Amino acid sequence: AAHGEAVMRSWRLTLDEEWWADRCRLEFAVVERSARVETWRQRYVQLLSASRSTTGRWSYCSSRHGLGDRVAQPRLFVGPSGKQLFNYGGWSGRGPQTDLAYVPMSVLQAAAVRGAPDCEGDEDDAGASGSAGSDFQFSFAGCHGRPPQRAGVQTLTPLWRWQHGDKPSPGFVASVAEELSAAVTLPEDFAVGSSLVMTFGGAQGGYNNENNSWSIGVLYEGDGASESNILWGQPRPKTRAAGDQGLPTARGAHSATYVPARFCPEGYPEGQVVIFGGHSHDCSQSLSSIETLNLDSWSWEQVWTDWLDVPCFLGSLAEDRESRRGRHGHTATFVEVDDRGYIIVVGGGEGNILSGADSDRSDAIVLDARTLEPLCILGLDLPPGVPPPGRHHEASPG
């Protein structure tokens, strides 16, 4: 034991700053330490953590999946029980879509294990059903009620955290289904085991004509063998919050984040959805405003924020000023740390990408999920040659 301790002490002395600098250079091609860490060892730990978070196995299966080409923010998400992978909307050759398609996760996982199939020919641009060479096909869910307004760069927010069991109560979901199904014939026991999703906003061609339309969907996922169904509509507000006239603001390429009830202040027994940023006025203005929808009362409220008072750690006054302006095309991800909730806003930018007069951000904003107060603005410590996350990227909690 004594010999082992002596060896470890000798080994630790060998691991000096020069050794850790060499490891950063050899393993990550990084030759600058970064002003945000004090030692090369800390820099190595930082780089290693980042590499682990991006490690995964990608498997190309097929482009013959039945959806065709889609742009302008189609939304992929896993159902509340983890049995189906869904795709909502996006902009196809026929314009903006509000359809909901699904494929069983078991089929998708089997296709990934088999690897790339031997496909021939080009996929139909209209997204017609695939051929025998396709490993998997999306099916289209049964849609009922009044679907959302058609738009690109629209958000769809699942109102659950399936890893943690956070979601609106079953009784509340059943009451929403009852209200929205007043003139609709639904499958038997449709509301049993169903969950909620929400769509909001969006824009038309050229990122123009933003809207403030919102819809709630009651989603019946199915068990992987039975058909998925969704009931769309807009519940009637029970009450109106003070000052909610004119809300919500029309916007596109914004974020819409579900915050479960246990992370909300009193008065939100079913949780809330937090809308942040986006573009307005035909993409000529990027927003920094925050608006919330109370899922119990269906009332909107604006959250006032003094961005000048938010601590900013970006290194220059020019970057500080830019980070406090509005942004669109960012992500806003809910994370839980030590039983506290935070919303992490990453990247985004300003300007219309079609005009060339645009810029991307390489920073992050941390919001307290209970108060929605911005706690700080941080710069992203990106390795050399790695572009900023910019607009229309994706992010998810690790």
Side-chain angles (χ1 to χ4, degrees), residues 4-279:
E5 291 176 2
V7 171
M8 289 303 298
R9 284 196 297 269
S10 175
W11 176 245
R12 292 190 187 100
L13 290 175
T14 304
L15 305 185
D16 56 12
E17 279 289 90
E18 184 178 355
W19 189 92
W20 287 109
D22 282 341
R23 299 321 305 169
C24 290
R25 177 178 58 82
L26 293 172
E27 294 184 32
F28 304 105
V30 171
V31 296
E32 295 182 0
R33 192 184 67 196
S34 171
R36 296 188 177 90
V37 294
E38 296 180 358
T39 67
W40 275 107
R41 182 182 183 279
Q42 292 174 346
R43 181 63 167 142
Y44 180 86
V45 171
Q46 186 181 60
L47 292 168
L48 183 62
S49 298
S51 70
R52 284 173 175 166
S53 67
T54 58
T55 297
R57 180 179 182 272
W58 290 95
S59 177
Y60 170 77
C61 294
S62 174
S63 61
R64 295 176 180 268
H65 41 61
L67 296 177
D69 292 334
R70 301 200 178 203
V71 297
Q73 215 166 300
R75 181 71 165 93
L76 283 167
F77 63 97
V78 177
S81 69
K83 294 178 180 178
Q84 313 273 40
L85 175 70
F86 290 92
N87 179 83
Y88 168 79
W91 199 296
S92 74
R94 301 185 300 275
Q97 303 299 311
T98 58
D99 52 17
L100 184 69
Y102 65 95
V103 63
M105 288 295 295
S106 58
V107 173
L108 193 65
Q109 290 163 349
V113 170
R114 287 193 299 271
D118 182 16
C119 295
E120 297 180 0
D122 294 326
E123 183 179 5
D124 189 313
D125 288 339
S129 59
S131 67
S134 176
D135 262 45
F136 68 89
Q137 284 283 297
F138 277 89
S139 301
F140 288 92
C143 291
H144 313 272
R146 182 179 179 181
Q149 180 172 331
R150 293 175 179 265
V153 291
Q154 182 182 68
T155 52
L156 179 137
T157 306
L159 304 185
W160 65 78
R161 295 174 68 219
W162 64 271
Q163 309 98 316
H164 303 84
D166 292 317
K167 58 184 179 180
S169 64
F172 178 73
V173 174
S175 68
V176 174
E178 181 179 4
E179 178 181 350
L180 299 185
S181 63
V184 178
T185 301
L186 295 174
E188 187 176 356
D189 296 328
F190 173 82
V192 178
S194 292
S195 300
L196 302 180
V197 298
M198 174 184 171
T199 64
F200 178 75
Q204 299 302 309
Y207 301 104
N208 296 323
N209 300 314
E210 298 91 348
N211 72 77
N212 67 349
S213 176
W214 61 278
S215 297
I216 296 295
V218 182
L219 174 65
Y220 175 75
E221 183 178 9
D223 60 6
S226 59
E227 180 187 40
S228 296
N229 282 270
I230 190 164
L231 168 65
W232 290 109
Q234 187 179 107
R236 294 183 299 273
K238 298 177 184 176
T239 60
R240 290 194 175 275
D244 72 347
Q245 297 300 317
L247 296 180
T249 302
R251 61 182 86 198
H254 50 280
S255 60
T257 309
Y258 168 59
V259 178
R262 65 189 177 99
F263 299 100
C264 295
E266 291 186 13
Y268 297 84
E270 304 296 343
Q272 65 179 332
V273 174
V274 178
I275 309 294
F276 174 75
H279 60 69

Side-chain angles (χ1 to χ4, degrees), residues 80 99 111 116 157 297 300 329 350 357 371:
D99 52 17
T157 306
S297 64
W300 287 91
E350 294 181 273
T371 65

Side-chain angles (χ1 to χ4, degrees), residues 327-381:
R327 66 184 69 205
H328 66 266
H330 55 278
T331 54
T333 307
F334 181 90
V335 297
E336 178 182 353
V337 180
D338 296 332
D339 297 324
R340 290 189 61 182
Y342 302 91
I343 298 174
I344 311 299
V345 177
V346 173
E350 294 181 273
N352 192 325
I353 59 175
L354 301 178
S355 68
D358 59 298
S359 62
D360 289 322
R361 301 281 173 74
S362 57
D363 59 4
I365 301 172
V366 181
L367 300 171
D368 185 306
R370 185 172 298 276
T371 65
L372 299 181
E373 175 186 359
L375 302 178
C376 62
I377 304 174
L378 304 170
L380 300 179
D381 194 5

